[in-house]
Amino acid sequence: DAGITQSPRHKVTETGTPVTLRCHQTENHRYMYWYRQDPGHGLRLIHYSYGVKDTDKGEVSDGYSVSRSKTEDFLLTLESATSSQTSVYFCAINDAGYEQYFGPGTRLTVT
Amino acid sequence: RKEVEQDPGPFNVPEGATVAFNCTYSNSASQSFFWYRQDCRKEPKLLMSVYSSGNEDGRFTAQLNRASQYISLLIRDSKLSDSATYLCVLRASSNTDKLIFGTGTRLQVFP
């Protein structure tokens, strides 16, 4: 299994609070991605990173920001959580190929 | 029209059966096709890549039909442990590494 961890694994938070999810990899891969998965939708890309301090927006980036100050860590922040951001969040990595390998996910509930 | 479409299922089959899933895609420029497997409340895991000439991995066979824009996955001699959701995944074009995910087809194998 790819060395990817996510924290926290579960979180319940209130509307309007900031939330930060962490993705940590031990593979030294350049490329990292954040997705959300909701019923009726495939995984949708939120943000991605091609290296330290090199990030860009995916298809559903509104309300989210990211940071990557070290190769191994990719942080996803919800500046002010809303109920529509209740979802399962997956981090993924790849290296030179196009296959992506996923972390175990974070289940976020915004009440 | 969705970029990737899959029959959501569920496909309920007995152990030992052969089952096939199809996935259609709308963009003829799509590249790099994959099947991922996702167990309930777990992360997606790469099952196999799909090559133009078709490829086999044990009981699993993947086919690509570019003319009709679909890929297929055939599972022979189904096992209880094959019960999962199978995600069709592709790279949208040759100048991107970003993947597009189908919503998945659920397979339930019963004794």
Side-chain angles (χ1 to χ4, degrees):
Chain A
D1 287 347
I4 314 170
T5 56
Q6 293 185 230
S7 59
R9 295 293 313 281
H10 299 88
K11 186 168 182 68
V12 179
T13 192
E14 292 184 350
T15 298
T17 59
V19 177
T20 295
L21 309 182
R22 180 184 184 231
C23 176
H24 179 78
Q25 57 138 336
T26 58
E27 308 293 324
N28 201 36
H29 286 340
R30 280 183 57 198
Y31 300 170
M32 298 185 76
Y33 309 82
W34 275 108
Y35 292 91
R36 61 178 289 173
Q37 187 174 36
D38 305 287
H41 296 274
L43 282 104
R44 292 181 291 173
L45 183 64
I46 306 171
H47 281 279
Y48 58 97
S49 171
Y50 289 162
V52 173
K53 297 191 189 324
D54 184 3
T55 65
D56 208 343
K57 296 179 179 180
E59 64 174 301
V60 291
S61 59
D62 287 349
Y64 302 95
S65 62
V66 289
S67 66
R68 191 162 178 207
S69 58
K70 297 186 288 185
T71 298
E72 57 266 36
D73 288 327
F74 192 29
L75 304 181
L76 177 71
T77 297
L78 290 66
E79 301 290 347
S80 177
T82 68
S83 58
S84 64
Q85 293 176 312
T86 292
S87 188
V88 181
Y89 291 85
F90 289 103
C91 174
I93 63 174
N94 74 355
D95 195 8
Y98 296 109
E99 300 91 347
Q100 293 182 12
Y101 301 90
F102 288 83
T106 294
R107 198 165 291 270
L108 176 68
T109 302
V110 183
T111 61
Chain B
R1 182 182 171 188
K2 288 184 177 180
E3 291 187 83
V4 180
E5 298 210 53
Q6 297 183 252
D7 182 339
F11 284 59
N12 296 305
V13 302
E15 273 187 292
T18 296
V19 62
F21 310 133
N22 280 346
C23 162
T24 59
Y25 59 94
S26 59
N27 184 353
S28 60
S30 298
Q31 307 282 329
S32 303
F33 303 89
F34 310 95
W35 285 102
Y36 277 72
R37 171 199 168 118
Q38 187 172 23
D39 293 294
C40 187
R41 300 176 76 85
K42 299 286 190 181
E43 73 272 23
K45 292 189 176 181
L46 179 66
L47 179 66
M48 59 197 301
S49 301
V50 186
Y51 302 121
S52 297
S53 55
N55 49 299
E56 190 173 302
D57 183 0
R59 298 181 293 109
F60 299 85
T61 300
Q63 297 278 352
L64 167 62
N65 185 319
R66 284 194 181 274
S68 300
Q69 294 182 206
Y70 76 85
I71 67 172
S72 63
L73 178 67
L74 181 78
I75 305 175
R76 291 182 298 279
D77 189 22
S78 298
K79 312 291 185 190
L80 295 176
S81 57
D82 293 334
S83 297
T85 297
Y86 291 84
L87 307 179
C88 172
V89 183
L90 54 85
R91 185 164 60 99
S93 67
S94 60
N95 59 2
T96 182
D97 63 294
K98 290 184 279 298
L99 301 182
I100 298 171
F101 291 78
T103 53
T105 296
R106 194 156 70 87
L107 172 66
Q108 184 68 48
V109 182
F110 58 88

